[in-house]
Amino acid sequence: MISEKRATFPGGVHVPDNKYLAEKKPIEIMPAPEKVYVSLSQHIGKPSEATVSVGDRVKKGQLIGKEAGFISANVYSGVSGTVTEIKTISTPLNTATYVVIQNDGLEEEEFLPPIDKEDSQAIMQRVRDAGLVGLGGAGFPTYVKMATDEKIDVVLINGAECEPYLTCDHRMMLEHGDGVVKGAKYIAKALNCQTVIIGIEENKPDAIEKLGAYDGVKVVPLKKKYPQGSEKQLIYACTKRAVQPGKLPASKGVCVFNVQTAFQVYEAVEFNRPLYQRVMTVTGKGIKEPKNLLVRNGTPYAEIIAYCGGLTDNAAKVIAGGPMMGKILTSVDGYTRKTDSGLLVEDVTEVCITEPSPCINCGRCAKACPMHLMPMYIDLYTQTGNFERADSYGATNCFECGTCAYVCPAKRDLVGSVQLCKRKLRELRS
Amino acid sequence: MQKLIISNTPHIKSKSSTKRIMIDVLIALVPATVMGVVYFGLYALLLVALSILSCIASEVIYLLIRGEKFKDILNKFDFTSAVTGLLLGLNLPANCPWYIPLLGGVFAVIVVKMLFGGTGKNFVNPAIAARVFLLISFAEAMTTWAVPSVGAIKTSTVATGATALGSVIKGERVISNLDLFLGTGVSSGALGETCKIALIVGYVYLLIRKVVDYKPLIYIGVTGLMTVVLQGSFSAFLPSVLSGGLMLGAIFMATDYVTTPNTTVGNIVYFVALGLLTALLRHLKGTEVVSYCILLMNFFVPLIDRFIVPKPFGYQKPKKEAKNG
């Protein structure tokens, strides 16, 4: 069922999406690399503990990192082979313990045991065992999100994909729509909830049509606006419920899952496959052949770039994720994680290198802010060291979507100010 | 592969820039400037040019004295002082002495803008402050208004006359609305404010470029309605809206980003207050007060911004929460 009205939220900004680069490219399976470097810290929460040691032989789908505490997640091997090293590696993104596995190319599999698909407790446990985390980018353990005491009456699947350039969720809905819908229904069953809503931005009409044809789910076409895929904004657009600052969506009876998370739930429940691979978009004008790739967890970025034809001569910026919230990479010496939705290479025509100039108080940032904060004052008071005052304008309510910095005519680093303010406040308040 | 660029999110930015906004304002003021020259002669052009020059020179010299390199100043130049200069020029009587724009420009840029920290830090609109400064300092020269005439550009002599506004508001002297609209007839005034159609063309340009929005209309509309209330006659609406510096002030001076509130609600409060104040003072004083009103309301902007702060998305009053929970 497709809802007729286009839904949206107050605030936000129209950003050119540049999705044409990879939109029409079907998902391609990237051959497993010679060596995978699997991080034991690729989710929010405690890093998992290695369950293998150097020299052990592992199979595809075998547990290599066990969750350490409630907010943590299991980590699985994406290849079969031998563990050659377990060591701490510093990548441009983080410093963590990595399990390095030499791929023997045999692709021997060892998946989880089958479960009763009708049992909600069993599905819940499977989500936990399979090491599922939010695949939209945050990486919050899915099980923890589902283990809420609140009554959930809406399972919301996030197919907005409002980040420009990224197309992996779009391709996922087109090519594996069946799995996405089934996964969403398993989640709903586990949560004992009747309503499944899928929010999709209107720039993906084919996906809206495809998923709208399934029974038992309601597709809500969303206005194309950034940040439409942000949790609270999406909930408001689809259900008109406004989650209070500092509260979880569950407080309003809603749980939000990315389309890829839903698909992985389907894989884990139907095929007992744990999370060791995902689809990511490799795009940007700085890459020769933009692609949507199914990659194993721990694949080196450099090999992905090489597989996509390499960088162009004008490549200027490499980003893990989308252009609005993605993390900048100082080099390509990184390894894919569960949360990597994209690898974006901007060329010189796409980057903005204008120096920041003084704020002219135009108020565009406040007008565009989806959280209704006042970024200009957060910036002003953070730069002058008055962090408490900066917080009175909402610094801690900011989720760093970058809308303010995008619209700023003075090109001020508003997101940087918010990050600094949050860090200083944590120091002050601890 | 060249060296990778490292910067914070977001990694794409909109095309707008301070410079681009200022250039848009300059472009929007071109019709008004052209009509000023058509009505008041080439001397008007000289006044505007001197005003712009004075403003830009003041900024550059100030920064040079502060020890900045000329190349850096040139790179950082954002055209704000050019906008100040042009607006100041358009606010002068077309026959005032040449040194008035020079002095006004220095006051606007040095005293009002640079001493308070430069672009974005001026506490009132520099052009308005300079105009008021000049009005106080050169009361006679600043209130001897030239009468517009289309032939002025050919003949060098310009007739002078009293500003029509006072009498228009009181309903004594009758100038047709069309004359007020086009700036023809005896509707004398500052050289940029007489031709309303040129100002409207500029406003439409700024609307298309999304530099300003509907808010100047609030100011203009409230002024007109308040005048109707004060005079008890609907026929007072158009003359009050079309006369004096209201349109120039509402579209180009009151909307100055730096000296307007930062929130939508704050802006509405600001513009409504401006309209009420303008109509009231006009009624009481019988003379043009737009500059003074904008100056006065500029002082209230920090106060408005202090008290009108939007609540974060999803915010609920704690009381209500206690009841529910």
Side-chain angles (χ1 to χ4, degrees):
Chain A
M1 184 178 93
I2 304 174
S3 136
E4 277 174 19
K5 233 175 112 188
R6 283 188 325 169
T8 192
F9 64 98
V13 65
H14 179 90
V15 180
D17 64 14
N18 283 322
K19 288 191 194 276
Y20 67 92
L21 286 165
E23 203 171 31
K24 302 273 184 271
K25 304 278 175 69
I27 297 169
E28 207 174 303
I29 299 168
M30 182 178 160
E34 285 284 294
K35 257 186 186 179
V36 290
Y37 299 74
V38 187
S39 164
L40 293 179
S41 176
Q42 34 184 321
H43 45 261
I44 290 175
K46 275 194 172 166
S48 39
E49 288 157 1
T51 56
V52 288
S53 17
V54 175
D56 283 3
R57 186 172 150 68
V58 293
K59 289 177 181 168
K60 185 161 93 174
Q62 188 181 328
L63 185 75
I64 54 172
K66 183 145 185 55
E67 56 176 28
F70 182 58
I71 302 184
S72 186
N74 288 340
V75 176
Y76 290 85
S77 169
V79 295
S80 64
T82 316
V83 178
T84 56
E85 276 176 294
I86 298 176
K87 61 171 180 182
T88 305
I89 302 180
S90 286
T91 69
L93 289 168
N94 66 352
T95 302
T97 308
Y98 279 76
V99 176
V100 186
I101 302 164
Q102 178 76 43
N103 181 8
D104 60 12
L106 298 174
E107 299 277 320
E108 282 182 278
E109 293 176 343
E110 184 191 294
F111 288 172
L112 300 165
I115 56 158
D116 175 10
K117 299 181 189 86
E118 300 301 320
D119 179 5
S120 64
Q121 279 309 313
I123 297 172
M124 201 79 144
Q125 191 58 40
R126 173 47 50 91
V127 167
R128 180 177 194 169
D129 291 341
L132 290 179
V133 301
L135 297 179
F140 190 76
T142 308
Y143 168 75
V144 182
K145 193 186 256 187
M146 286 166 69
T148 172
D149 294 334
E150 310 272 353
K151 170 77 190 120
I152 302 297
D153 59 354
V154 174
V155 164
L156 187 51
I157 303 300
N158 186 352
E161 199 167 50
C162 60
E163 272 277 2
Y165 289 91
L166 301 188
T167 55
C168 52
D169 289 357
H170 183 191
R171 293 309 310 181
M172 204 72 203
M173 288 186 281
L174 277 186
E175 296 175 34
H176 300 283
D178 201 48
V180 171
V181 171
K182 280 185 179 158
K185 284 180 179 168
Y186 281 128
I187 295 172
K189 186 174 281 170
L191 289 170
N192 200 12
C193 149
Q194 307 302 320
T195 319
V196 177
I197 300 178
I198 306 178
I200 306 173
E201 263 192 5
E202 61 186 350
N203 59 352
K204 298 178 260 295
D206 42 2
I208 293 173
E209 200 180 320
K210 166 136 194 170
L211 295 192
Y214 287 94
D215 284 333
V217 295
K218 184 178 150 198
V219 171
V220 179
L222 304 164
K223 207 170 160 190
K224 182 189 150 7
K225 193 164 75 173
Y226 184 86
Q228 185 67 73
S230 145
E231 203 169 49
K232 290 182 178 178
Q233 279 60 38
L234 183 75
I235 293 171
Y236 183 78
C238 295
T239 66
K240 292 283 167 271
R241 299 177 194 179
V243 180
Q244 277 177 264
K247 292 268 174 83
L248 291 172
S251 68
K252 292 282 174 190
V254 187
C255 250
V256 184
F257 303 89
N258 180 267
V259 287
Q260 294 216 42
T261 313
F263 180 73
Q264 292 295 344
V265 169
Y266 161 75
E267 292 262 284
V269 172
E270 296 241 323
F271 305 109
N272 311 310
R273 192 198 300 274
L275 177 62
Y276 60 75
Q277 61 185 9
R278 68 160 295 147
V279 177
M280 69 189 286
T281 307
V282 188
T283 184
K285 286 172 187 160
I287 203 116
K288 283 194 179 135
E289 295 168 46
K291 279 180 175 158
N292 295 297
L293 288 179
L294 180 71
V295 292
R296 313 287 171 96
N297 198 344
T299 306
Y301 288 145
E303 288 192 29
I304 294 174
I305 291 171
Y307 185 72
C308 293
L311 301 179
T312 62
D313 295 338
N314 288 332
K317 215 177 191 183
V318 184
I319 298 144
M324 295 300 282
M325 288 184 78
K327 304 249 179 347
I328 190 82
L329 295 179
T330 47
S331 71
V332 293
D333 310 324
Y335 312 101
T336 60
R337 303 160 304 160
K338 294 173 180 175
T339 49
D340 281 336
S341 48
L343 187 64
L344 171 65
V345 186
E346 290 185 344
D347 76 355
V348 284
T349 60
E350 291 165 294
V351 294
C352 170
I353 46 166
T354 320
E355 284 286 308
S357 56
C359 171
I360 53 167
N361 259 356
C362 63
R364 289 182 187 185
C365 50
K367 210 172 162 189
C369 178
M371 289 305 289
H372 307 179
L373 313 175
M374 300 194 82
M376 72 292 255
Y377 290 131
I378 298 174
D379 182 41
L380 174 70
Y381 290 113
T382 299
Q383 296 303 327
T384 49
N386 193 345
F387 303 110
E388 291 293 341
R389 185 82 193 271
D391 193 28
S392 74
Y393 290 102
T396 45
N397 286 329
C398 172
F399 61 94
E400 296 164 32
C401 66
T403 307
C404 51
Y406 176 83
V407 298
C408 182
K411 308 289 173 222
R412 297 193 64 75
D413 184 12
L414 298 167
V415 178
S417 283
V418 168
Q419 288 162 343
L420 176 67
C421 181
K422 281 182 178 172
R423 200 159 59 235
K424 289 287 179 187
L425 283 171
R426 264 201 302 276
E427 285 169 20
L428 286 173
R429 287 170 185 177
S430 63
Chain B
M1 192 180 80
Q2 62 195 64
K3 222 176 148 194
L4 293 176
I5 295 170
I6 310 299
S7 70
N8 206 348
T9 53
H11 305 294
I12 45 172
K13 301 238 169 125
S14 61
K15 288 198 180 76
S16 76
S17 68
T18 307
K19 198 185 260 183
R20 181 68 230 185
I21 291 169
M22 293 307 154
I23 292 173
D24 274 337
V25 176
L26 288 177
I27 293 171
L29 282 168
V30 164
T33 314
V34 168
M35 289 318 286
V37 176
V38 169
Y39 286 160
F40 297 107
L42 283 174
Y43 186 68
L45 189 64
L46 177 75
L47 287 178
V48 171
L50 280 175
S51 174
I52 296 176
L53 232 127
S54 164
C55 284
I56 294 176
S58 301
E59 179 171 324
V60 171
I61 292 166
Y62 181 91
L63 289 173
L64 282 175
I65 293 171
R66 280 222 349 224
E68 297 200 20
K69 292 200 184 75
F70 187 70
K71 215 179 128 191
D72 290 345
I73 298 174
L74 216 62
N75 282 338
K76 277 195 215 155
F77 185 70
D78 54 14
F79 288 90
T80 42
S81 47
V83 171
T84 301
L86 183 53
L87 279 173
L88 176 64
L90 295 181
N91 268 295
L92 297 172
N95 51 346
C96 73
W98 58 270
Y99 53 82
I100 283 191
L102 283 184
L103 202 61
V106 173
F107 181 85
V109 170
I110 304 274
V111 178
V112 183
K113 194 172 108 183
M114 299 315 284
L115 285 182
F116 284 87
T119 303
K121 295 286 185 284
N122 46 291
F123 67 111
V124 291
N125 183 316
I128 290 271
R131 187 192 184 187
V132 171
F133 161 78
L134 293 171
L135 268 168
I136 298 167
S137 312
F138 306 95
E140 205 192 325
M142 285 295 287
T143 50
T144 312
W145 304 105
V147 176
S149 91
V150 183
I153 199 159
K154 289 175 200 147
T155 63
S156 56
T157 51
V158 179
T160 60
T163 171
L165 182 85
S167 42
V168 166
I169 286 175
K170 289 187 184 123
E172 288 160 1
R173 198 163 90 188
V174 178
I175 301 179
S176 75
N177 287 333
L178 187 69
D179 270 351
L180 281 173
F181 187 61
L182 296 174
T184 49
V186 284
S187 53
S188 48
L191 67 89
E193 71 186 21
T194 53
C195 184
K196 305 302 184 285
I197 194 160
L199 293 171
I200 291 168
V201 168
Y203 180 47
V204 170
Y205 176 76
L206 289 183
L207 275 179
I208 293 169
R209 294 288 309 170
K210 291 190 178 150
V211 174
V212 297
D213 51 14
Y214 60 89
K215 289 185 194 98
L217 297 178
I218 299 180
Y219 182 11
I220 297 170
V222 169
T223 306
L225 289 177
M226 186 67 185
T227 312
V228 168
V229 171
L230 288 172
Q231 301 204 8
S233 144
F234 282 104
S235 59
F237 185 85
L238 271 181
S240 74
V241 162
L242 291 175
S243 58
L246 181 60
M247 270 199 192
L248 182 65
I251 297 167
F252 293 99
M253 324 268 278
T255 52
D256 172 19
Y257 285 147
V258 183
T259 53
T260 46
N262 280 326
T263 53
T264 308
V265 179
N267 265 302
I268 291 170
V269 169
Y270 171 79
F271 281 103
V272 168
L274 257 178
L276 294 178
L277 200 64
T278 305
L280 194 69
L281 287 184
R282 267 183 177 180
H283 188 71
L284 293 176
K285 301 291 290 177
T287 174
E288 183 55 314
V289 290
V290 169
S291 305
Y292 294 105
C293 289
I294 294 176
L295 191 65
L296 193 64
M297 282 311 292
N298 278 178
F299 291 119
F300 284 97
V301 167
L303 209 61
I304 294 174
D305 270 341
R306 175 93 206 208
F307 288 105
I308 300 180
V309 177
K311 292 275 173 277
F313 177 74
Y315 179 86
Q316 280 182 358
K317 278 186 189 161
K319 252 185 197 171
K320 210 176 167 189
E321 191 190 8
K323 226 183 261 173
N324 291 343

